[in-house]
Amino acid sequence: MGNTILEIRHLSKSFGSHEVLRDIDFTVQKGDVTSIIGASGSGKSTLLRCINLLETPTSGEILYHGENVASRGVNAAAYRSHVGMVFQSFNLFNNMTVLENCMAGQVKVLKKSKAEARAHAMEYLEKVGMAPYINAKPRQISGGQKQRVAIARALAMDPEVLLFDEPTSALDPEMVGEVLSVMQALAQEGMTMLVVTHEMAFARDVSSHVVYMNQGVICEQGTPEQVFGDPQRQETRDFLSRFRSN
Amino acid sequence: MEQFVKLGQDMALLWSNYAGNFFDGSGYLGGIRNTLILALVATVIGCVIGLVCGILNTIPYTKNDPPLKRFVLKLIRIVVRIYVEVFRGTPMVLQAVFIYYGLPYFTGNAVQWPSVWAASILVVSVNTGAYMAESVRGGIISIDPGQTEGAKAIGMTHVQTMLSVILPQALRNIMPQIGNNFIINVKDTSVMFIITFTEFFAFHRYLVGVNNMYFPSAAIEMVGYLTMTLAASLILRFMEKRMDGSDSYELVQADQLTMAAGTYSHPDRGTPFDEHSKEHREKTRQMLKHGRMRGER
């Protein structure tokens, strides 16, 4: 059990009377690359945002190393610094350069020295291939480049698990590749990742677990071979067939 | 035409006799000095008040927070709301009288204002603060909430998020508002004559009381105020440009991941779904030619 990072138990979330998530249960082990797939509006993003406490779950538990972070009085900021998040719309800080974006969290939250933060940030910017652009402002680089910076920014915090919320959905088709290849490299290095995605090829080839969500519940989960190769539920088959048509 | 010549002569006469000294606070120039100092100090203090109110007003709270925190935050919002409505909704000239004479009245003349400067700065600052509070709130909510989420996601607290991410951008967005307020203050400090503050307009009132040259003096005042506000506009524009920073940046080296056409790698590479594969190109060609793929029904 020492390898379990996150354990989600009976998680539910409603917006008003609209129930978005119902009784979600799953665990994230160290080194897992879990893809969450499903149609738009099935609650994938809400689930991810609940895990990062950007949304407050209506009920249920989120156990981070056995401690329930969804309860009252938990220091959400401290927890979030261990759980990185990459957003669909990048959410870079527009008033900072690429390098400053990757240093801000280290300096302000982890209280590292500037030199240390800079060296660490450069390491990850190098990894995502954005080292040449350290002096650029977010408005000066392309969407794919922004997302790579956002990944480096999250990595620079040395998170235990990295959440991706549809990281390629806001990108032009020719930029999807550059972001996916960075994510693939991360997965191969053993980074624990939780990815909400519409990229079925990524879910099938890169992830170790696939979770299929439908209308706020986990409909089916398992290895990619199980879910893609031999889906048990009719909903899953219907969903996947839409991606096979090409 | 004669009138203009006469006006010119009168203005020159007034100016040569009463131009005064910018540094010792006498004459027209002294009035200009007092006006500028009051407007500048009050705008700066007003902006600080506005920033504090704006930040306090936008502290988020959720249902999971302890009831005490929620109560305090709600109370703060109500207090700020009342402050803004009261000082935005009453004339500044009245506020000046109210505060200047209110303090001795309530303390039975035990406490007097140390100087008319202190009272004037307080009134104009508090007034500016009320307007700025709303501008700052607008500036903060105009920054896309994604950036707040981005900052939270790397573990920043609300104060850290505000200070390092949101406020620098909000401040840039409300620069035109700050400029507006400064220019309004340059002009509206003229009502401070009511509590005997000797700024630019007060000197005019004093002078025409002595020599009855109402119109030439007013003309000098017009030119004087317009010069101050135009200079302020220019300086503010310059500051805005400075805040925007340079539009260019230097590449430190070449980027290896951004593709030159056709050289990038992606998961579909080598499969028939790769847009650059022979199969895919053939498929596209066929579709263009026949309207659909060969063999597809």
Side-chain angles (χ1 to χ4, degrees), chain B residues 7-247:
Chain B
L7 175 63
Q9 284 166 348
D10 283 344
M11 282 170 76
L13 180 72
L14 277 180
W15 187 256
S16 60
N17 285 331
Y18 300 105
N21 187 320
F22 188 80
F23 297 101
D24 68 13
S26 65
Y28 283 116
L29 285 172
I32 287 184
R33 180 195 77 159
N34 290 351
T35 292
L36 284 179
I37 293 176
L38 177 58
L40 199 63
V41 171
T43 309
V44 170
I45 299 178
C47 284
V48 174
I49 296 175
L51 277 178
V52 172
C53 290
I55 296 172
L56 289 176
N57 246 345
T58 47
I59 297 176
Y61 55 84
T62 61
K63 278 188 216 148
N64 262 7
D65 286 326
L68 183 68
K69 184 181 169 190
R70 277 189 288 165
F71 174 74
V72 170
L73 285 176
K74 272 186 190 159
L75 192 68
I76 286 175
R77 284 182 197 195
I78 292 171
V79 170
V80 171
R81 188 86 234 145
I82 292 173
Y83 159 62
V84 169
E85 294 300 345
V86 167
F87 281 90
R88 221 172 39 167
T90 52
M92 191 159 77
V93 60
L94 199 56
Q95 292 165 14
V97 175
F98 191 76
I99 289 178
Y100 190 65
Y101 297 109
L103 187 64
Y105 184 90
F106 268 103
T107 56
N109 284 329
V111 188
Q112 295 277 353
W113 281 95
S115 78
V116 70
W117 271 98
S120 303
I121 288 178
L122 180 83
V123 171
V124 185
S125 305
V126 163
N127 204 281
T128 311
Y131 283 95
M132 284 308 294
E134 287 297 281
S135 300
V136 170
R137 200 170 67 88
I140 289 173
I141 55 180
S142 75
I143 305 299
D144 114 69
Q147 293 196 47
T148 310
E149 289 188 349
K152 278 187 180 171
I154 56 174
M156 285 195 191
T157 60
H158 179 70
V159 175
Q160 286 171 335
T161 307
M162 276 291 160
L163 291 183
S164 50
V165 179
I166 305 301
L167 282 183
Q169 297 178 60
L171 217 52
R172 167 64 192 88
N173 285 355
I174 60 173
M175 266 311 272
Q177 279 298 325
I178 294 177
N180 242 348
N181 270 307
F182 178 65
I183 284 171
I184 288 173
N185 280 345
V186 166
K187 296 182 301 175
D188 283 6
T189 45
S190 59
V191 302
M192 286 300 138
F193 76 84
I194 203 95
I195 54 170
T196 69
F197 182 82
T198 50
E199 37 65 56
F200 195 32
F201 183 66
F203 181 73
H204 161 83
R205 281 177 58 87
Y206 156 76
L207 191 63
V208 297
V210 176
N211 63 12
N212 263 333
M213 291 173 80
Y214 280 94
F215 185 65
S217 180
I220 291 181
E221 294 278 314
M222 290 289 270
V223 174
Y225 274 115
L226 204 55
T227 312
M228 284 192 275
T229 51
L230 283 179
S233 296
L234 277 178
I235 292 169
L236 283 158
R237 280 288 155 80
F238 175 74
M239 280 168 66
E240 279 181 34
K241 280 224 170 112
R242 280 283 302 270
M243 284 176 91
D244 284 342
S246 161
D247 262 345

Side-chain angles (χ1 to χ4, degrees), chain A residues 52 54 80-81 83-85 87, chain B residues 148-156:
Chain A
N52 206 6
L54 286 174
R80 287 196 194 106
S81 68
V83 180
M85 177 123 175
F87 298 87
Chain B
T148 310
E149 289 188 349
K152 278 187 180 171
I154 56 174
M156 285 195 191

Side-chain angles (χ1 to χ4, degrees), chain A residues 49-63:
Chain A
R49 292 168 60 83
C50 279
I51 293 176
N52 206 6
L53 301 183
L54 286 174
E55 303 286 353
T56 313
T58 314
S59 66
E61 293 179 326
I62 299 168
L63 301 178

